[in-house]
Amino acid sequence: MPTIERYPSKSHARRVAKHFSGLLPDAFTDDKPRQILLLAAARLKYWPFSDQAQPFRQNRNFYYLTGCDLPDAYVLYDVELDRLVLFLPPVDKEDVMWSGEPITITEAKEEYDVDEVLYADVIKSELQAIPNRIVYTAESLVGDDHRAYLKDIELLVQLQSSDQYLLEALEESRLIKDDFELRLMRKASEISDNAHLKVLSTMSLQTNERHIHAEFVYHSMRAGSKNQSYDPICCTGRHCSTLHYVRNNEEIAGKQLLLIDAGAEWNNYASDVTRTFPISGEWTPEARAIYELVLEMQTACESLVKPGAVWDDLHLLAHKILIRGFLKLGIFKGGSEDEILESRVSAAFLPHGLGHTLGMDTHDTGGRANYADSDLLFRYLRIRRKLESGMVVTVEPGIYFSPFLIDPYLNGHDGFKGGHYIDRDVLEKFWEVGGVRIEDDVLVTDNGSENFTKVPKDPDVLSKIIKAGLKKTLVTV
Ligand code: GLY
Ligand code: MN
Ligand code: MN
């Protein structure tokens, strides 16, 4: 046995098969053909008209069943025999000069938790050797290039309709993380914590949003994380109201707040963390008021994370706290909390959902979002189910002052109601706040929750760290 614990792909394969059999109840009975699950790795792609490879990102479903980060590989799981076979891409001798020696079969057997390792050029004969087989693959949903290849080697059978079931089985399996996955996610979070702290404490160095981006990536990479979970969002001033702002190229002088939403990845597992703070270390009264409100929303919602909690209810609570806070601040007026909630005008300031599942994908599987929901308050909510132990979710309320989002309410455009509850004069004082989001990564445990994210978020602590950093003379290298 290898001394280093391996990514538990065999137990993942069993989980997927179990979910799959639940979805296709008659699929695994005695008189049915042998069930084979087959998945392909992502292919290495080249930029158009170029011999440069695009950055490689593994197919997450393939990784879940192999722990293997190689392109152009395949995995087969024979459900009846409980046999997991990894097919490595055949060795391209010409490529060794450019890319180095590929992993050998013997090395791969050590490294991956599979029963057999073969080269991909024997997939067809391997499958042909299985009597009375039927092959299920979800790949038709993820890429035509694979589909063409599989068809070519006569693997794709008629079961189009099962693709959706296999994909669902993969998604449901991935939703609940095992201990090994949680260790990877804690590590990703630790790296992000450190990189966020470095950003907070080096503001004397930073004059442009791009510097913030660089600082975060630098410290992630130094800690061993080659990839970010997503393109970092580093915005200042009014740009903080753009939810997925990635231009990251404005000077930061003269702005009130900086919002950084960035997360390092560890072995394909994501973290996703947002902090918002005053660039000078001093909060303006308006920025502080909005920050404290978002923190109250986050604290209240996070305290309710536990098995059985209904995510819709937590999201609704965030809106209720926002409405109560806006009535106190005078941004809302002329209605009761219930009337204002009913009008849905709070969605002008909190247009996104409270959070999403987190795993290998930043917006991970299993949330069962309903983007066709006619209720604006829930349309972008990415989790529409009860929480279960082993799920990892983000808790990320925000408040944004975006003319693009608010004007339709103020102007009473079709479908956007409740604009009359907004006091335009009071609102005027808040445009420069731009936006505030606070985002932590939270594991649902048997008894409650565990917050992976340790970056400070108390407004006074943030001020202190920023000011201490501003006093230091730092030099870039
Ligand atoms: N970083 C993207 C998100 O928070 O969902
Ligand atoms: Mn998020
Ligand atoms: Mn985020």
Side-chain angles (χ1 to χ4, degrees):
M1 274 301 283
T3 48
I4 298 170
E5 201 188 340
R6 299 183 295 189
Y7 184 86
S9 45
K10 191 70 188 281
S11 89
H12 288 177
R14 289 180 187 140
R15 277 176 71 88
V16 172
K18 195 161 169 239
H19 275 291
F20 189 57
S21 68
L23 292 162
L24 274 185
D26 62 344
F28 298 114
T29 51
D30 288 345
D31 57 340
K32 293 283 175 188
R34 281 264 287 281
Q35 314 297 329
I36 308 296
L37 310 183
L38 181 77
L39 288 185
R43 308 214 91 173
L44 193 59
K45 291 201 176 127
Y46 293 81
W47 297 112
F49 315 112
S50 164
D51 64 357
Q52 296 293 305
Q54 295 177 11
F56 179 71
R57 187 177 191 274
Q58 186 57 286
N59 168 356
R60 280 11 195 172
N61 289 327
F62 176 85
Y63 193 82
Y64 190 70
L65 293 181
T66 61
C68 171
D69 229 348
L70 294 171
D72 305 326
Y74 292 85
V75 65
L76 170 162
Y77 183 57
D78 183 326
V79 177
E80 193 180 313
L81 298 189
D82 184 29
R83 182 169 177 261
L84 190 63
V85 185
L86 172 65
F87 296 92
L88 300 176
V91 177
D92 173 358
K93 288 212 170 78
E94 288 223 335
D95 187 54
V96 174
M97 178 172 97
W98 304 105
S99 309
E101 295 277 356
I103 189 169
T104 64
I105 297 271
T106 312
E107 288 164 345
K109 279 182 179 163
E110 277 284 301
E111 186 155 342
Y112 305 117
D113 179 23
V114 296
D115 298 296
E116 185 67 85
V117 181
L118 302 165
Y119 285 115
D121 47 12
V122 301
I123 293 184
K124 189 173 178 178
S125 52
E126 274 293 303
L127 279 160
Q128 278 169 343
I130 303 170
N132 195 22
R133 71 201 165 269
I134 193 154
V135 180
Y136 294 90
T137 176
E139 293 318 295
S140 61
L141 295 167
V142 288
D144 284 346
D145 43 0
H146 277 299
R147 192 168 170 68
Y149 176 76
L150 294 171
K151 229 177 192 156
D152 183 47
I153 54 174
E154 295 165 36
L155 295 181
L156 265 193
V157 279
Q158 69 284 8
L159 279 165
Q160 278 296 335
S161 59
S162 72
D163 284 5
Q164 194 54 45
Y165 293 133
L166 180 52
L167 198 68
E168 192 176 334
L170 284 156
E171 292 190 349
E172 287 296 305
S173 303
R174 284 173 51 188
L175 177 69
I176 306 299
K177 275 70 184 175
D178 59 34
D179 287 346
F180 193 96
E181 293 179 288
L182 292 174
R183 283 205 293 280
L184 299 179
M185 295 191 76
R186 283 194 188 91
K187 175 77 179 172
S189 281
E190 254 176 57
I191 297 172
S192 291
D193 283 351
N194 178 58
H196 272 281
L197 209 52
K198 287 291 196 305
V199 167
L200 280 164
S201 53
T202 55
M203 287 304 289
S204 68
L205 280 178
Q206 326 297 1
T207 63
N208 191 284
E209 291 166 354
R210 189 62 52 89
H211 297 164
I212 304 296
H213 185 151
E215 192 77 30
F216 191 91
V217 172
Y218 172 75
H219 290 289
S220 301
M221 212 177 273
R222 280 198 69 112
S225 159
K226 187 177 174 206
N227 298 321
Q228 294 286 300
S229 308
Y230 51 91
D231 212 6
I233 296 161
C234 305
C235 37
T236 51
R238 290 186 179 220
H239 291 303
C240 298
S241 69
T242 303
L243 304 180
H244 287 170
Y245 176 87
V246 287
R247 294 213 303 269
N248 302 355
N249 62 357
E250 291 239 341
E251 294 292 303
I252 67 179
K255 316 266 182 64
Q256 292 191 22
L257 295 182
L258 189 153
L259 182 157
I260 169 168
D261 179 345
E265 195 173 88
W266 186 254
N267 288 9
N268 289 339
Y269 281 78
S271 59
D272 179 9
V273 175
T274 307
R275 286 294 179 266
T276 311
F277 55 87
I279 290 162
S280 66
E282 290 289 353
W283 297 91
T284 64
E286 290 79 17
R288 173 105 189 192
I290 298 303
Y291 186 89
E292 284 182 356
L293 193 48
V294 176
L295 188 57
E296 187 187 340
M297 289 151 74
Q298 206 219 24
T299 309
C301 292
E302 199 196 305
S303 74
L304 297 177
V305 171
K306 60 173 186 228
V310 178
W311 195 249
D312 276 23
D313 294 346
L314 272 63
H315 178 72
L316 208 54
L317 176 65
H319 275 273
K320 286 179 182 167
I321 295 172
L322 183 155
I323 291 166
R324 201 174 313 139
F326 270 28
L327 282 167
K328 271 194 203 139
L329 291 168
I331 302 174
F332 285 160
K333 59 162 195 200
S336 69
E337 286 173 27
D338 286 345
E339 286 164 343
I340 294 173
L341 179 69
E342 192 59 37
S343 77
R344 298 318 198 213
V345 66
S346 54
F349 300 90
L350 172 48
H352 61 71
L354 177 66
H356 49 84
T357 59
L358 184 73
M360 278 188 278
D361 285 310
T362 303
H363 296 160
D364 207 40
T365 61
R368 298 186 182 158
N370 174 14
Y371 299 119
D373 197 325
S374 59
D375 189 335
L376 271 180
L377 215 60
F378 295 99
R379 186 173 300 166
Y380 301 112
L381 191 55
R382 287 191 165 97
I383 304 173
R384 301 301 298 272
R385 62 192 293 170
K386 284 184 182 169
L387 298 181
E388 291 169 52
S389 181
M391 284 169 68
V392 181
V393 298
T394 65
V395 182
E396 52 172 311
I399 293 178
Y400 310 91
F401 296 93
S402 159
F404 172 78
L405 295 170
I406 298 168
D407 284 351
Y409 289 85
L410 288 173
N411 300 332
H413 286 167
D414 234 13
F416 297 100
K417 302 197 169 60
H420 59 286
Y421 294 125
I422 301 173
D423 186 317
R424 291 170 190 250
D425 293 331
V426 178
L427 175 64
E428 210 47 47
K429 293 190 277 181
F430 288 87
W431 292 116
E432 291 303 323
V433 173
V436 171
R437 176 165 65 256
I438 308 172
E439 175 174 30
D440 289 356
D441 300 342
V442 180
L443 166 69
V444 186
T445 61
D446 289 347
N447 307 314
S449 68
E450 174 192 335
N451 191 335
F452 288 170
T453 306
K454 312 285 187 228
V455 196
K457 53 191 173 185
D458 177 285
D460 293 321
V461 174
L462 290 175
S463 279
K464 220 169 140 186
I465 297 169
I466 296 156
K467 284 184 187 168
L470 285 169
K471 277 193 206 132
K472 286 189 197 143
T473 310
L474 300 171
V475 279
T476 47
V477 285

